């Protein structure tokens, strides 16, 4: 039997009998505009308290939220170094993309990251949000477009900050990983507050936190350092051939230099013979960037009268991520530069002219060379994030109201170094001033001419005006009829540019993500909470959104909450939702990126992946993605100390926005030849792609939530918690027009493990509080690809985290934290070269000490 489920059943078996039923605690939860006093509502909400945050031992909001079981897949953190958003972190509930999970702070929207991830993914960067100021996090695991509008297809994360805080609290944490040379991480936090709304008529809360972590390179991790994965399924010697002639790696250009070594060609590319010069790319691969972050939060509340208060909050965050962008540039077939006038890529000739010192022959000679002496290419992303919001809330004439206006923004400066100047390269190639065969002979002057540093700016902003009000309209036989209504206006803007060196055609092999757009959104919404009979409530909600670009969307929702017994709650929701086309998908945008394809018509390597350039453009005719959500569940609470919850979810999305797959473009090249550009040999250089509303997607599964508290008398108390998520279906077409294929338990659509689980036990005894957490990620099948020798199963991984907090004095606490106690290695996944960074962490065991002091 599946291990997490076995443990979950064991926990459930330990629950006392249902006879000791007690009334549930009354709280307010996210997901409705009507105030409610029920602990469990019609939709499942996972609450992560400040105490839970401390017990996790994690140093950032992103690490905490991303560890929940409903984060099924396709979400990325700073391990995703190859994107246009290095150093960031997002969340993808149900695995359907970060753009389908809405992130709120105190119930209000914040600006997305300055540019798009993977060209189209607009998301909120969790690494830009404060950790110290968080009072709790509420995760709504249900579609909520009827309340919040676009993006809330898979669910909502509401990060709630302290409204009042008494005294001052400071903390400092230091830790190090076992991999590398001891990748260290430091963090510190300050939280202070004064004033009380009830006593003083005002309150002010200020927080400040900072985090710094070293860079981790692939060659610092023992099992990946040699890039030799031939002992794994479908593994190879992952070295890169370099410095050769006539597109044939076995025809060597010069002798060994820099990191080059002689290797059998067949060890790198199965089926090939001969010897090549190749280098180990591990030294140029950053697994986790070096980061430094600082966040601050200031929140003030002023009591206007007995029924009303004014409030304001300011958030600011600065983040920096430094990484090795890649190996020194390789020049050869397919080398390009951007032509801004034609909005296309120009091919750059890489041919040794007659008379060049490296060309002994009487004819021009094509060649490929890696410019090792110019040094590794590096990148630094510097991000500034802010939100300023002010409003008034309270009660007036029987209505509870909340009105606010806010402005939020994210600004990126991305600096890259050691790229190559196209015009200087062409000069050096023509006059023979650069020696490709023996780069030690090159002068520093010519190297400086070739090196190029560039700055890429990007900025996004969000302006919002929100108003909502609610009241009890009438007293019905079964209880009060609740009603809420409201309106929202917001302006979304994104201005993501590229460097002047790219626009002028100076930078060789440019990556471009130009987005320039703005739109206005206006919305009206209403909600009714109807008590039908005793303990049976029906909630009806609807929201109409009007976008200045594509038009309108309407999102209704109906939910039922039935307290069948004091110990049994039944619930269900049915709703429609939508995701508006993102600005990079629908507005003025052009992107140039690099990927790999298997081209069966390739004259050299028809079964091997080959690097190609993708040129992607927006589509002004896009329609929003439309979704239908169904959620059914129950909660059994035999007493105040125990509960079992099970919720089923089903999300069908129509008109999913994406580009046509590379495989599909290649397969249909005869009918659409303009989408494929080949070189003189017949090898693919460029694929032209455009966003379009394509096929459907269907995902379904269940969430299991188990909680139990045990009093151990003189031995303290024990709290057991388990959250498990199982994916039944993750269906989408592999190509336009094809039938749906199930991606649950494989990696057809990004790795989607069928099971994820987080199980924890917290034991409190006197001055000690110890938490042991088991994180489980199920294995998945490797989808068959051309050239594979065997179908592959990626193994499951379970890791243990431990946190022991010792209250040394009433004011001081020392915590000893170990993440990945057993030093478990990520599972091998040949499709990602070594492991799937969306599901695993390469740092191995990390140990840290944290000191906390309250004044």
């Amino acid at each position: 039997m599946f291990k997490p489920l076995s443990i979950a059943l064991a926990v459930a078996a330990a629950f006392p009998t249902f006879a000791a039923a007690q009334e549930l605690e009354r709280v307010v939860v996210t997901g409705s505009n009507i105030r409610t006093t029920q602990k469990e509502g019609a939709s499942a909400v996972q609450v992560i308290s400040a105490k839970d945050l401390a017990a996790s031992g994690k140093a950032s909001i992103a690490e905490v939220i991303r560890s929940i079981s409903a984060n099924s897949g396709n979400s990325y953190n700073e391990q995703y170094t190859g994107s246009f958003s290095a150093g960031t972190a997002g969340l993808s509930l149900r695995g359907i993309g970060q753009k389908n999970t809405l992130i709120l702070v105190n119930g209000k929207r914040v600006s997305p990251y300055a540019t798009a991830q993977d060209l189209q993914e607009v998301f909120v960067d969790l690494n830009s949000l404060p950790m110290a100021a968080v009072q709790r996090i509420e995760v709504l695991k249900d579609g909520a477009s009827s309340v919040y509008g676009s993006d809330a297809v898979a669910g909502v994360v509401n990060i709630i900050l302290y409204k009042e805080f008494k005294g001052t609290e400071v903390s400092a944490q230091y830790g190090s990983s076992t991999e590398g040379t001891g990748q260290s991480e430091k963090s510190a936090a300050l939280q202070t507050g004064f004033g009380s709304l009830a006593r003083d008529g005002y309150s002010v809360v200020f927080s400040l936190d900072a985090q710094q972590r070293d860079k981790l390179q692939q060659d610092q991790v023992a099992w990946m350092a040699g890039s030799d994965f031939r002992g794994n399924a479908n593994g190879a010697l992952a070295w890169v051939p370099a410095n050769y002639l006539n597109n044939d790696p076995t025809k060597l250009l010069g002798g060994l230099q820099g990191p080059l070594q002689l290797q059998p060609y067949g060890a790198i590319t199965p089926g090939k013979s001969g010897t090549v010069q190749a280098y180990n790319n591990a030294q140029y691969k950053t697994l986790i960037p070096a980061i430094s972050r600082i966040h601050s939060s200031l929140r003030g509340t002023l009591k206007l009268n007995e029924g009303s208060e004014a409030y304001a909050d300011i958030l600011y965050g600065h983040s920096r991520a430094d990484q090795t962008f890649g190996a020194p540039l390789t020049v050869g077939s397919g080398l390009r530069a951007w032509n801004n006038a034609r909005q296309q890529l120009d091919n750059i000739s890489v041919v040794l002219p007659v008379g060049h010192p490296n060309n002994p022959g009487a004819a021009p000679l094509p060649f490929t060379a890696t410019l090792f002496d110019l040094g590794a290419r590096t990148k630094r992303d510097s991000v500034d994030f802010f939100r300023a919001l002010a409003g008034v809330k309270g009660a007036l004439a029987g209505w509870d109201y909340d009105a606010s206006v806010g402005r939020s923004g994210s600004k990126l400066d991305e600096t890259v170094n050691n790229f190559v100047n196209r015009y200087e390269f062409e000069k050096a190639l023509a006059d023979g001033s650069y020696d490709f065969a023996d780069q030690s002979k090159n002068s520093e002057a010519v190297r400086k001419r070739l090196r190029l540093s560039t700055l890429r700016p990007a900025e996004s902003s969000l302006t919002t005006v929100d108003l909502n009000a609610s009241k009890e309209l009438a007293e019905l036989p079964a209880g009060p009829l609740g009603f809420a209504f409201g309106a929202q206006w917001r302006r979304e803007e994104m201005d993501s540019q590229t460097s002047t060196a790219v626009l002028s055609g100076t930078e060789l092999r440019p990556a471009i993500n130009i987005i320039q757009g703005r739109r206005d959104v206006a919305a009206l919404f209403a909600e009714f909470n109807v008590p039908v009979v005793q303990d049976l409530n029906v909630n009806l909600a609807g929201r109409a959104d009007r976008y200045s670009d594509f038009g309108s969307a309407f999102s209704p929702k109906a939910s039922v909450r039935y307290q069948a017994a004091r110990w049994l709650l039944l619930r269900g929701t049915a709703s429609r939702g939508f995701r508006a086309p993102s600005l990079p998908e629908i507005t003025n945008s052009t992107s140039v990126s690099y990927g790999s394809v298997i081209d069966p018509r390739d004259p050299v390597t028809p079964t091997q992946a080959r690097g190609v350039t993708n040129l992607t453009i927006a589509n002004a005719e896009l329609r929003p993605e439309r979704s239908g959500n169904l959620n059914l569940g129950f909660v059994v609470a035999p007493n105040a100390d125990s509960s079992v919850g099970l919720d089923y979810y089903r999300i069908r999305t129509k008109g999913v926005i994406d580009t046509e797959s590379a495989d599909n473009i290649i397969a249909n090249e005869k009918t659409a030849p303009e989408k494929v550009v080949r070189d003189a040999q017949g090898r693919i250089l460029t694929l032209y792609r455009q966003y379009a509303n394509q096929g459907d997607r269907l995902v379904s599964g269940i969430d299991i939530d188990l909680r139990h508290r045990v009093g151990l008398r003189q031995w303290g108390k024990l709290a057991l918690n388990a959250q498990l998520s199982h994916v039944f279906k993750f269906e989408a077409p592999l190509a336009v027009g094809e039938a749906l294929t199930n991606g649950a338990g494989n990696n057809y659509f990004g790795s989607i493990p069928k099971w994820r689980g987080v199980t924890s036990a917290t034991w409190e005894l006197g001055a000690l509080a110890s938490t042991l957490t088991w994180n489980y990620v199920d294995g998945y099948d490797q989808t068959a690809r051309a050239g594979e020798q065997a179908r592959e199963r990626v193994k499951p991984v379970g890791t243990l985290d431990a946190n022991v907090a010792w209250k040394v004095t009433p004011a001081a606490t020392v915590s000893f934290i170990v993440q990945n106690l057993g030093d478990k290695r990520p599972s091998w996944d040949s499709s990602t070269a070594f492991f799937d960074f969306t599901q695993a962490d390469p740092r191995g065991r990390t140990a840290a000490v944290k000191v906390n002091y309250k004044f």
Side-chain angles (χ1 to χ4, degrees):
M1 179 178 280
F2 173 66
K3 291 183 179 178
L5 187 57
S6 302
I7 290 184
L9 294 173
V11 174
F15 288 177
T17 62
F18 290 171
Q22 297 181 18
E23 188 173 345
L24 295 174
E25 181 184 359
R26 296 176 177 269
V27 295
V28 177
V29 296
T30 296
S32 172
N33 286 305
I34 296 177
R35 291 188 176 187
T36 179
T37 57
Q38 289 127 356
K39 179 179 180 181
E40 295 285 355
S43 298
V45 176
Q46 180 178 347
V47 180
I48 305 170
S49 67
K51 186 177 180 180
D52 297 329
L53 294 175
S56 73
K58 300 185 185 301
S60 70
I61 286 179
E63 291 178 356
V64 172
I65 299 177
R66 287 173 52 79
S67 67
I68 66 174
S69 63
N71 182 28
S72 303
N74 293 321
S75 69
Y76 303 95
N77 63 2
E78 50 267 44
Q79 292 185 68
Y80 193 17
T81 58
S83 71
F84 286 96
S85 50
T88 64
L91 180 70
S92 172
L93 293 174
R94 312 306 186 198
I96 61 175
Q98 297 168 166
K99 55 185 174 290
N100 284 295
T101 298
L102 180 62
I103 307 295
L104 306 174
V105 177
N106 291 333
K108 314 286 186 180
R109 288 178 179 255
V110 296
S111 171
Y113 184 65
T115 190
Q117 186 179 82
D118 281 345
L119 313 181
Q120 71 175 119
E121 187 105 20
V122 173
F123 69 104
V124 171
D125 176 22
L126 298 173
N127 286 336
S128 291
L129 301 178
M131 175 76 161
V134 177
Q135 184 178 26
R136 69 183 184 276
I137 300 171
E138 296 180 353
V139 183
L140 174 67
K141 303 176 184 179
D142 189 6
S145 290
S146 64
V147 177
Y148 301 110
S150 177
D151 308 338
V153 173
V156 180
V157 175
N158 189 8
I159 300 167
I160 299 170
L161 310 182
Y162 280 98
K163 183 178 179 179
E164 292 188 11
F165 191 86
K166 296 179 180 178
T168 299
E169 183 175 341
V170 295
S171 65
Q173 181 172 324
Y174 177 81
S176 180
S177 70
T178 57
E179 292 292 355
T181 54
Q183 183 197 32
S184 66
E185 182 172 343
K186 303 179 281 289
S187 61
L190 164 70
Q191 175 95 327
T192 187
F194 57 90
S196 165
L197 283 174
R199 184 184 66 250
D200 306 314
Y202 70 90
S203 69
V204 176
V205 182
F206 174 74
S207 74
L208 182 71
D209 62 70
Q211 182 184 13
Q212 187 178 57
R213 186 176 59 218
D214 296 337
K215 180 169 64 174
L216 181 67
Q217 296 288 103
Q218 182 184 326
D219 65 351
Q220 293 177 312
V221 179
W223 69 279
M224 289 187 284
S227 294
D228 189 349
F229 305 114
R230 285 173 287 184
N232 300 285
N234 301 309
L237 181 66
W239 285 45
V240 183
N243 292 27
Y244 50 89
L245 301 169
N246 275 328
N247 298 308
D248 183 350
T250 63
K251 295 180 179 179
L252 308 184
L253 167 66
L256 296 176
Q257 56 184 299
L260 288 176
Q261 296 182 26
L262 293 176
Q263 296 287 353
Y265 194 8
I268 299 172
T269 304
K272 296 293 182 180
S273 59
T275 301
V276 299
Q277 292 183 135
Y279 66 91
N280 179 3
N281 195 46
Q283 61 189 302
Y284 303 117
K285 173 65 176 176
T286 294
L287 298 178
I288 300 178
I291 59 99
S292 59
R293 304 181 184 125
I294 185 167
H295 308 109
S296 61
S297 168
L298 177 63
R299 185 176 185 183
T301 310
L302 177 65
K303 189 173 183 179
L304 301 176
N305 54 47
E306 283 305 314
S308 301
E309 61 188 40
Y311 60 89
D313 70 50
I314 299 175
L315 306 177
Y316 173 75
H318 175 77
S319 305
R320 195 183 79 190
D322 293 274
Q323 68 176 84
T324 304
F325 182 78
L329 183 70
T330 295
V331 296
S333 174
L335 188 64
R336 315 289 187 75
W338 180 247
N339 186 317
N340 201 48
R342 297 192 301 122
Q343 291 288 290
Q344 292 181 357
L345 291 162
D346 285 340
N347 292 324
I348 307 301
S349 175
V350 185
V351 177
L352 294 170
V354 176
H356 190 284
N358 299 141
N359 182 4
L365 184 62
F367 74 103
T368 299
T370 301
L371 312 184
F372 294 109
D373 62 333
L374 299 188
R377 291 172 291 167
T378 62
K379 181 164 73 169
R380 168 174 291 180
D381 282 15
S382 180
V383 181
D384 290 286
F385 165 84
F386 79 93
R387 187 183 80 172
L389 184 139
V392 180
K393 65 188 301 184
L396 180 64
W399 290 86
D400 294 317
Y401 69 91
D402 186 352
S404 66
V405 59
R407 175 77 173 176
S408 184
S410 174
K411 185 176 185 296
L412 165 69
D413 286 330
E414 181 181 271
T415 305
V416 293
N417 297 306
N418 288 350
F419 274 60
V420 177
N421 186 310
R422 171 238 190 123
Y423 301 111
E424 293 298 333
F425 169 75
E426 290 177 328
K427 289 179 185 177
L429 187 59
D431 63 21
S433 58
Y434 185 89
D435 193 320
F436 298 95
D438 186 355
Q439 295 168 17
S440 65
K441 295 179 179 179
N442 294 322
S443 69
E444 191 58 31
V446 74
R447 291 172 183 154
K448 287 182 178 180
R449 282 169 42 207
L450 289 171
R451 290 191 185 107
L452 181 68
S453 295
T454 64
L455 174 66
R456 181 173 72 92
E459 188 170 1
S460 72
S461 65
L462 176 70
T463 305
T464 58
V465 179
D466 288 282
L467 170 66
N468 65 71
S470 64
K471 72 173 299 184
E472 295 177 355
L473 294 179
E475 188 66 32
L476 302 181
L481 171 64
F483 172 68
F485 77 97
Q488 182 185 76
W489 175 87
R490 67 181 189 268
R491 172 166 291 172
E492 303 172 353
E493 298 175 274
M494 183 169 284
D495 184 8
S496 175
Q497 296 299 317
T498 191
S499 69
T500 56
V502 169
L503 294 178
S504 63
T506 305
E507 182 180 311
L508 286 176
R509 201 176 186 271
I512 301 174
N513 194 21
I514 298 175
I515 308 162
Q516 192 164 18
R518 184 181 80 176
R519 66 179 171 206
D520 294 338
V521 185
L524 295 173
F525 51 88
E527 182 179 355
F528 287 91
N529 190 50
V530 184
V532 181
V533 296
Q534 186 69 31
D535 298 323
L536 175 62
N537 285 63
V538 174
N539 185 282
L540 302 173
R543 177 176 169 127
D545 288 83
R546 175 71 181 178
Y547 281 71
S548 60
D549 44 19
F550 70 80
S552 301
F554 179 68
S555 307
K557 183 173 184 176
S559 61
V560 177
R561 182 189 187 278
Y562 178 42
Q563 193 73 51
R566 297 186 70 186
W567 51 269
L568 176 62
L569 169 68
L570 303 177
R571 60 192 179 193
T573 67
S575 65
R576 290 190 62 195
F578 75 102
R579 183 185 74 82
S582 65
L583 289 177
E585 292 168 338
I586 198 172
T587 191
N588 298 321
S589 71
T590 302
S591 301
V592 174
S593 61
Y594 300 91
S596 60
V597 299
I598 295 175
D599 174 19
R601 289 187 289 279
D602 188 291
V604 180
T605 55
T607 62
Q608 300 295 320
R610 168 174 165 78
V612 298
T613 302
N614 297 300
L615 198 154
T616 309
I617 60 174
N619 183 354
E621 303 301 318
L622 288 174
R623 305 300 299 167
E625 299 177 352
R626 306 281 185 171
S627 63
N629 291 51
L630 176 66
N631 288 68
L632 301 171
F634 66 83
V635 179
V636 174
N639 56 47
D641 293 325
S642 305
S643 68
V644 178
L646 187 147
D647 290 275
Y648 167 82
Y649 68 88
R650 181 179 183 272
I651 307 171
R652 176 179 284 277
T653 305
K654 295 185 177 181
V656 174
I657 298 171
D658 205 348
T659 60
E660 190 177 1
S661 71
D663 290 342
N664 213 48
I665 292 173
I666 295 170
N668 294 286
E669 184 179 358
K670 289 184 178 179
T671 58
E674 71 280 0
K675 296 181 181 181
V676 183
V677 177
R678 295 180 179 270
D679 64 14
Q681 282 186 292
R683 311 189 78 186
I684 292 178
L685 294 175
T686 304
L687 298 178
Y688 284 85
R689 313 171 84 158
Q690 186 178 33
Y691 297 112
N693 292 101
Q694 300 194 17
D696 294 355
R697 179 180 59 223
L698 174 65
V699 299
S700 65
I702 57 171
D703 294 322
I704 304 171
D705 187 290
L706 305 172
R707 300 176 185 272
H708 185 48
R709 294 195 300 260
V710 183
L712 302 176
R713 298 183 181 179
Q714 71 270 26
W715 296 105
K717 53 186 178 181
L718 179 66
L720 303 174
N721 296 290
Q723 286 81 44
L724 309 170
S725 296
H726 178 68
V727 181
F728 292 139
K729 293 181 179 180
F730 194 102
E731 295 182 340
L734 293 175
V736 178
E738 290 189 3
L740 300 183
T741 296
N742 192 7
N746 58 58
N747 59 1
Y748 274 123
F749 311 109
S751 59
I752 306 291
K754 286 188 176 181
W755 284 97
R756 282 184 70 104
V758 181
T759 304
S760 66
T762 299
W763 179 32
E764 297 181 22
L765 176 62
L768 291 176
S770 303
T771 299
L772 186 66
T773 304
W774 184 43
N775 309 284
Y776 180 86
V777 179
D778 198 12
Y780 53 90
D781 290 331
Q782 179 71 261
T783 53
R785 297 170 298 148
E788 284 188 347
Q789 299 171 4
R791 198 167 180 88
E792 173 187 325
R793 174 74 177 172
V794 179
K795 296 179 180 178
V797 173
T799 61
L800 284 171
D801 300 336
N803 183 7
V804 179
W806 175 32
K807 202 172 186 65
V808 182
T809 71
T813 302
V814 178
S815 301
F816 303 94
I817 303 163
V818 181
Q819 307 277 356
N820 192 359
L821 190 64
D823 199 20
K824 289 293 186 70
R825 178 187 299 181
S827 295
W828 165 257
D829 181 343
S830 66
S831 69
T832 61
F834 25 77
F835 72 94
D836 186 346
F837 53 82
T838 69
Q839 304 287 357
D841 192 313
R843 287 177 289 182
R845 183 189 299 114
T846 63
V849 176
K850 181 178 180 180
V851 178
N852 183 277
Y853 192 86
K854 296 180 180 180
F855 296 92

